Amino acid sequence: RSEMADPRASLQAHRRARAGAENADKAVMGRRWVDADVRPAGAKQQHRHRPLRVVTWNVQAERTRDSSGKGFSAVNARKAIARVLEMQPHLVFLQEVQLRAKGGEPAASDVRGDHSRLFAEALRAAGFAVYLPEQTVESRSDGRDRRPAAMSVLTAWAKSRLRLAEGEGALRAVEMGGFSHKSAAVVALVELRSNLRINTANVHLSVPLGKGGMQDDRQQLRELEAAITCLRATALATHSVDKKPTTSNAGPGAALSSRLAEAAGAVTLLAGDLNALPASAAYRQLCAQGMTSAYAAALRAEPEYTTINEAFGFVGTVDYIFASPGMRVKRVLGLRSPRPQALPSAACPSDHEPLAADFELWCTRAESANAGDRTPVSERRPAAAEGGAGMDKMGSGGSWAAAQSQAASATARRTPRRDDFDLSADLNGP
């Protein structure tokens, strides 16, 4: 009513929205956005609003680079927080978020040792919900003695765009096994405008080295399999509980099999520091699960580097954003060329570069026709956001392949009716 009474208010709101979209396209840390020109055959864009922006970054815990080995300083952590918010993401995956300095207690009163609070408080103040699992690692070979981990992964989602899926299995910490100091977490989310479920995994895997510095990726592959198993369990648990409908099914070219490609009405994102090169077994395993690297899809090849570690003389690509077929990458934040001589640098406060990708949600023409009597997504209001937190044990739920096949058969047997779509949830938002 106020906008109708004063047209200037409407014009100002339009200018603010336009300025926000333009700011989202600005260069970040001296890096520019690169458009992808790949469009799935026979696909139609599901909605016209701003694409979903996903960011992953190993922010390098201070304890791993402090010459004293303590890692109390939070200067780089504060810089990393500013860089993350500068990218204006909707979904954030952070690795090596420091929980305590060496010799310190978990969640110490000295904030310089526990950087997780800095990240969590800044993200919550910016409108994000945060999940930071408190994980433990084995300190004895018999597995009886466990101690709190020194670092963890942090997953955050913008409450204006995403909500936590319903069900107890929506938040899970992945049990990595062995003496691994790495961590992973699975979070099931729902995109508010489309009600599309997005099952996510934030992963930090071990370096594939064994005794004597010899190549050995067995522990790394065990950790990856644990994350994939947890993703499957989460997809089954949230699919059976969260009854809100979706506007997309498998998407163009998706295969219904035991792979992670597409649960019925859901897509999958797995991102993080895999410590694995593009030619590694871990990379091939994810491709075999029906996943595609966003950077490889947009650039037709993985970037030259994502990390520069001077201590080990290593330069290579080990960070990725993998997505299932229902999410189409629109653009990615390109890496600097020529690459910097060293990291961290004045622009990048970590030995890893952050990766960012914009995704659009797609559906087939048939699905779009069946949904033709529904209120246009661009005209609907988002549902109220949730930011609940918690952690439960990893569950089981039968055969992943059987569940997907059963859901696909049920979808194919009938044409959707208007009653299938609960629009009331979209009218309760802000």
Side-chain angles (χ1 to χ4, degrees):
R1 290 176 180 174
S2 61
E3 290 181 0
M4 293 176 64
D6 185 2
R8 291 175 298 178
S10 178
L11 179 60
Q12 290 172 356
H14 174 73
R15 286 175 176 172
R16 286 195 299 269
R18 183 174 179 179
E22 291 175 352
N23 289 335
D25 297 336
K26 287 185 177 180
V28 179
M29 299 166 58
R31 298 163 53 187
R32 296 191 176 277
W33 293 93
V34 180
D35 290 335
D37 58 355
V38 180
R39 174 168 175 164
K44 180 178 180 179
Q45 188 174 356
Q46 184 176 320
H47 46 69
R48 294 174 291 179
H49 55 266
R50 181 181 168 191
L52 188 74
R53 178 162 294 177
V54 179
V55 169
T56 183
W57 195 7
N58 180 327
V59 292
Q60 191 184 17
E62 203 71 37
R63 56 181 286 140
T64 68
R65 57 180 158 187
D66 188 353
S67 59
S68 69
K70 296 297 183 182
F72 284 112
S73 172
V75 173
N76 289 293
R78 296 182 191 277
K79 289 181 180 179
I81 292 169
R83 296 290 187 266
V84 168
L85 296 178
E86 185 182 354
M87 287 183 275
Q88 301 186 37
H90 300 112
L91 184 54
V92 180
F93 302 104
L94 301 180
Q95 303 86 45
E96 272 197 37
V97 176
Q98 182 170 301
L99 301 178
R100 60 186 173 90
K102 288 185 178 179
E105 293 299 322
S109 58
D110 188 345
V111 72
R112 295 178 302 165
D114 179 13
H115 299 166
S116 66
R117 289 184 292 167
L118 294 176
F119 283 97
E121 290 171 5
L123 287 165
R124 289 191 180 108
F128 287 81
V130 174
Y131 178 50
L132 181 75
E134 297 180 1
Q135 295 175 298
T136 59
V137 295
E138 293 179 8
S139 56
R140 287 176 46 181
S141 58
D142 57 12
R144 295 180 180 177
D145 189 9
R146 301 186 67 85
R147 55 188 174 84
M151 301 178 290
S152 188
V153 295
L154 183 152
T155 303
W157 55 97
K159 293 187 287 185
S160 62
R161 188 67 183 272
L162 298 159
R163 69 170 175 85
L164 191 67
E166 297 176 9
E168 295 183 355
L171 294 170
R172 297 174 188 263
V174 180
E175 291 292 337
M176 304 295 266
F179 295 93
S180 175
H181 291 270
K182 306 304 181 184
S183 52
V186 170
V187 179
L189 301 169
V190 176
E191 205 273 338
L192 293 177
R193 291 172 174 83
S194 64
N195 279 332
L196 179 69
R197 287 183 296 111
I198 306 175
N199 300 314
T200 74
N202 185 356
V203 179
H204 189 194
L205 303 182
S206 294
V207 176
L209 294 176
K211 294 181 179 179
M214 300 296 291
Q215 178 78 16
D216 186 350
D217 60 5
R218 288 177 294 179
Q219 175 62 26
Q220 183 183 84
L221 292 174
R222 282 194 293 267
E223 294 168 357
L224 180 59
E225 183 58 33
I228 291 174
T229 300
C230 195
L231 262 175
R232 289 171 175 162
T234 295
L236 288 169
T238 56
H239 174 64
S240 61
V241 174
D242 200 315
K243 301 300 182 182
K244 287 182 169 53
T246 64
T247 57
S248 174
N249 200 342
L256 289 171
S257 68
S258 60
R259 302 182 307 168
L260 281 176
E262 301 286 340
V267 292
T268 304
L269 277 172
L270 185 147
D273 176 7
L274 303 189
N275 274 313
L277 295 170
S280 66
Y283 189 100
R284 294 194 301 271
Q285 169 73 348
L286 285 170
C287 291
Q289 296 288 340
M291 308 284 281
T292 302
S293 165
Y295 273 71
L299 307 177
R300 304 301 176 92
E302 294 293 351
E304 176 190 1
Y305 78 101
T306 62
T307 182
I308 301 175
N309 191 311
E310 287 186 290
F312 294 94
F314 176 80
V315 178
T317 297
V318 297
D319 304 272
Y320 307 94
I321 301 174
F322 277 91
S324 58
M327 301 190 74
R328 177 251 186 184
V329 60
K330 180 180 179 182
R331 59 188 166 187
V332 296
L333 186 61
L335 277 294
R336 284 173 280 183
S337 182
R339 65 172 175 80
Q341 294 298 311
L343 287 177
S345 64
C348 180
S350 171
D351 61 347
H352 290 250
E353 294 272 16
L355 300 185
D358 284 356
F359 289 95
E360 291 178 335
L361 307 180
W362 292 78
C363 61
T364 63
R365 290 194 178 95
E367 290 165 345
S368 178
N370 288 335
D373 63 341
R374 300 194 347 257
T375 303
V377 178
S378 58
E379 298 177 10
R380 290 158 55 186
R381 299 177 62 187
E386 296 181 18
M391 181 173 65
D392 48 53
K393 298 179 181 179
M394 182 170 65
S396 59
S399 169
W400 169 260
Q404 292 192 87
S405 299
Q406 194 173 31
S409 299
T411 302
R413 280 196 296 267
R414 63 181 178 85
T415 300
R417 303 184 303 270
R418 183 174 179 82
D419 293 340
D420 295 336
F421 307 103
D422 179 13
L423 300 181
S424 60
D426 293 309
L427 302 177
N428 298 326

